[in-house]
Amino acid sequence: MEKWKKAFGGGILKRHFQEKARILAAKLLLGAVVPTQIEDDGTMEFTLNRPIGGHGKAYVDVLYLDDSLRIVQGNRGSIFVMTRVTS
């Protein structure tokens, strides 16, 4: 963990202008609570107080699911087929 802190600034975040703009947008649009520092175990926790996707208007129904394939249907009727890529 010490090597990580040394490489990435010891838990103190320095944000550039673009990142500050993205955080402001996340706060305004999603009600995001953005962490100000990295935890001792290297994690950061973000909280979203508003739902993503039109404030609860978007959803998907899972039509089929197994270990390698997922088929879902969106609230507007779109069908999405996703497959797991093994490496």
Side-chain angles (χ1 to χ4, degrees):
M1 190 69 196
E2 291 303 317
K3 288 181 182 180
W4 190 92
K5 285 182 180 180
K6 185 177 178 182
F8 293 103
I12 299 170
L13 299 176
K14 295 178 184 176
R15 294 189 167 110
H16 298 285
F17 178 76
Q18 281 185 326
E19 188 174 1
K20 288 179 182 178
R22 288 184 193 122
I23 289 171
L24 178 62
K27 287 179 179 180
L28 294 174
L29 297 173
L30 301 173
V33 177
V34 181
T36 56
Q37 66 181 28
I38 299 168
E39 299 298 326
D40 290 335
D41 63 355
T43 62
M44 297 174 68
E45 183 175 322
F46 294 81
T47 304
L48 303 178
N49 294 317
R50 293 188 196 108
I52 297 174
H55 302 282
K57 295 179 184 175
Y59 60 89
V60 295
D61 290 324
V62 178
L63 303 176
Y64 179 80
L65 179 66
D66 68 16
D67 290 338
S68 62
L69 183 68
R70 178 185 309 160
I71 303 173
V72 298
Q73 182 174 15
N75 64 309
R76 293 185 177 178
S78 299
I79 303 282
F80 299 94
V81 178
M82 292 157 269
T83 183
R84 182 178 305 259
V85 177
T86 58
S87 53

